[in-house]
Amino acid sequence: MLQHNDDTELRAWLQKLPKAELHLHIEGTLEPEMMFEFARRNRVALPYSNVESVRAAYQFTNLQSFLDLYYAGAGVLQTEQDFYELAIAYWRRARADGVVHAEIMFDPQTHTHRGIALETVFAGLARALREVRDTWGVSTSLLLSFLRHLSEDDAFATLEAALPLRSAYRDLWIGVGLDSAERGNPPEKFARVYQRCAELGFKRVAHAGEEGPAQYVRDTLDILGADRIDHGVQSSEDTQLMGEIIRRRIPLTVCPLSNLKLGVFKDLHEHNLARMLRAGVAVTINSDDPAYFGGYVLDNYVATALALDLSHDELLTLVANSLNAAFLPATDKTRLLDRLAHEASQS
Ligand code: ADE
Ligand code: ZN
């Protein structure tokens, strides 16, 4: 176990390590305070009287019970300034946690279906990300995520609507993702749109094996050609699949506090992250929807380290995995890995 006297020391040690966050929904960073502020200025009615009652409502029983509140909350996001402030606020928190690179998912359909222009979403997020990139020396990018409870035609329409914006946001928009209700919406539903994304040269990630079966992880790799799996914790149900994930070095972007809040694991002590890591899986730690799940990325590292008794070296491996799994040029990865080695040697 770690040679740290208390949680505060562990937290301080982890904070200094340069980390990448690879599984983060920007809509999931909407803190209740911001929700109220945006609702006020955009004149959107909320079914809550104060911030405390919003937080009290965050008692989830499964993924769908969360998604219902998450989509409702996103209704307060209306203007370019809202998306800008949301992304700036996320990056402020992430930077304080020692994040040096973040690949941020956004759900265009959540906004376009409410009449918000795609350009508004892109413009606000891009203004924030370019500002933090240019002033803080961090790197960051965007993954446009399709909602899997909607049709593949809707995903296609979203992609086609976004493509004319590609040249304006080429420095940020690097890939696509797939999220929302997993069960009953298998990967093959999106085979054609992922094929098109591959032809267009986009990186491809997808949620799989969060609540859905290991077979969805297999199909996400085989049919969608995913470069990374978001969650993927159900993979451990299938030994052969585990072997393939290890052999092919497929990264899993695991989100322990999310899994806990959504009942994927009843207790953090039961989480399979340590078992997968020790088996050789390229596991990473991420926050998913931190405003809803009670913790940003550093909280996820600390809680997981304590619950699973992770060693110093295992935590360094998790951080190195996050840098290696990032969609970054090799030279940038080497530089960040060198920084990590330097930090580790100081402690
Ligand atoms: N959208 C935001 N968070 C999600 C999650 N954990 N699973 C699926 N879709 C999501
Ligand atoms: Zn997610």
Side-chain angles (χ1 to χ4, degrees), residues 66-67 81 103 135 166 206 210 234 283 290 292 324 326 339:
F66 153 69
L67 291 171
Q81 182 69 17
E103 295 173 9
T135 53
R166 192 177 185 188
E210 177 185 18
Q234 305 301 335
V283 179
Y292 291 86
N324 277 314
R339 242 176 96 183

Side-chain angles (χ1 to χ4, degrees), residues 110-131:
T110 299
H111 312 299
T112 53
H113 282 224
R114 301 182 288 115
I116 310 296
L118 199 49
E119 171 64 21
T120 303
V121 183
F122 264 104
L125 296 179
R127 181 155 66 92
L129 300 198
R130 286 171 179 154
E131 193 174 302

Side-chain angles (χ1 to χ4, degrees), residues 56-222:
Y58 293 171
Q59 308 284 341
F60 311 118
T61 49
N62 55 23
L63 175 58
Q64 191 59 54
S65 66
F66 153 69
L67 291 171
D68 292 342
L69 286 193
Y70 164 85
Y71 294 130
V76 302
L77 297 164
Q78 304 265 331
T79 67
E80 187 263 5
Q81 182 69 17
D82 298 339
F83 288 96
Y84 166 80
E85 288 180 23
L86 185 68
I88 286 281
Y90 160 69
W91 249 112
R92 248 187 232 123
R93 288 293 300 260
R95 188 178 184 228
D97 279 1
V99 172
V100 294
H101 175 75
E103 295 173 9
I104 298 176
M105 281 181 265
F106 68 112
D107 294 339
Q109 289 150 298
T110 299
H111 312 299
T112 53
H113 282 224
R114 301 182 288 115
I116 310 296
L118 199 49
E119 171 64 21
T120 303
V121 183
F122 264 104
L125 296 179
R127 181 155 66 92
L129 300 198
R130 286 171 179 154
E131 193 174 302
V132 302
R133 184 187 64 193
D134 297 344
T135 53
W136 294 346
V138 295
S139 49
T140 190
S141 50
L142 288 170
L143 299 167
L144 181 156
S145 287
F146 303 115
L147 297 181
R148 69 197 306 156
H149 67 274
L150 300 177
S151 68
E152 189 183 43
D153 281 350
D154 207 297
F156 259 116
T158 303
L159 178 65
E160 293 306 329
L163 283 177
L165 304 174
R166 192 177 185 188
S167 59
Y169 300 104
R170 198 173 280 279
D171 56 325
L172 294 168
W173 181 20
I174 58 163
V176 296
L178 183 64
D179 58 15
S180 192
E182 186 180 9
R183 286 202 196 116
N185 294 297
E188 61 264 29
K189 181 174 164 186
F190 297 91
R192 294 177 316 132
V193 77
Y194 265 65
Q195 178 58 38
R196 173 93 177 107
C197 289
E199 288 159 10
L200 288 164
F202 283 116
K203 298 290 184 195
R204 286 161 289 163
V205 301
H207 285 52
E210 177 185 18
E211 280 190 345
Q215 185 63 40
Y216 280 19
V217 177
R218 192 178 278 286
D219 293 344
T220 299
L221 295 172
D222 295 348

Side-chain angles (χ1 to χ4, degrees), residues 2-10:
L2 281 158
Q3 299 303 303
H4 290 289
N5 295 330
D6 56 31
D7 303 3
T8 320
E9 256 187 50
L10 169 64

